């Protein structure tokens, strides 16, 4: 089963759990783990195709979307989100530089 199918099944399970008043924490943690794995695979593939992670704005944009999705799931489950904010910031610094991030995002 691929990641998108796993995510669909987890989304369905979360909706059912929410409707039943059951906890969703474990399901959300599974979703975050899938997204983490997908992020790692994405970066590995980008590097293998010769993309420079330190300069490519398209890669940065996708990473920010991935981390934002993880953050939204964490929020939904009541988990801390600071880790994802830090990862977004670190990705921005890697590509844009510390001063630019301080000026426009902090």
């Amino acid at each position: 089963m691929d990641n998108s199918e796993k995510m669909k099944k987890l989304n369905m399970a979360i909706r059912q759990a929410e409707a039943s008043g059951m906890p969703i924490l474990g399901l959300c943690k599974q979703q975050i783990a899938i997204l983490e794995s997908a992020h790692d695979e994405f970066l590995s593939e980008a590097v293998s195709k010769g993309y420079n992670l330190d300069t490519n704005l398209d890669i940065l944009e996708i990473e920010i979307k991935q981390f934002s999705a993880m953050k939204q799931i964490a929020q939904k489950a009541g988990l801390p989100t600071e880790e994802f904010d830090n990862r977004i910031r670190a990705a921005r610094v890697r590509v844009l530089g510390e001063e630019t991030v301080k000026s426009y995002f902090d």
Side-chain angles (χ1 to χ4, degrees):
M1 179 180 335
D2 69 354
N3 284 342
S4 66
E5 191 166 320
K6 288 178 189 175
M7 289 296 283
K8 286 179 187 176
K9 287 185 180 215
L10 284 168
N11 282 332
M12 186 183 311
I14 288 170
R15 282 194 298 275
Q16 290 172 345
E18 287 176 324
S20 303
M22 301 297 292
I24 62 169
L25 180 63
L27 298 169
C28 290
K29 285 182 176 182
Q30 288 178 51
Q31 283 188 318
I32 292 170
I34 290 169
L35 291 173
E36 291 276 0
S37 175
H39 175 258
D40 293 343
E41 289 173 24
F42 168 72
L43 290 183
S44 292
E45 188 173 328
V47 169
S48 73
K49 290 183 177 180
Y51 290 100
N52 185 339
L53 301 182
D54 295 335
T55 60
N56 192 299
L57 293 174
D58 294 328
I59 300 292
L60 174 62
E61 181 180 0
I62 292 168
E63 278 190 279
I64 290 171
K65 287 178 182 179
Q66 290 174 325
F67 293 139
S68 295
M70 292 177 213
K71 180 180 176 178
Q72 287 174 344
I73 294 167
Q75 285 174 326
K76 184 175 189 168
L79 294 168
T81 60
E82 184 178 352
E83 170 192 353
F84 305 109
D85 291 331
N86 291 340
R87 292 176 76 181
I88 289 169
R89 187 179 193 288
R92 285 178 174 151
V93 167
R94 184 188 73 230
V95 177
L96 304 173
E98 183 71 36
E99 292 305 314
T100 300
V101 172
K102 280 183 182 179
S103 296
Y104 293 98
F105 299 102
D106 287 348

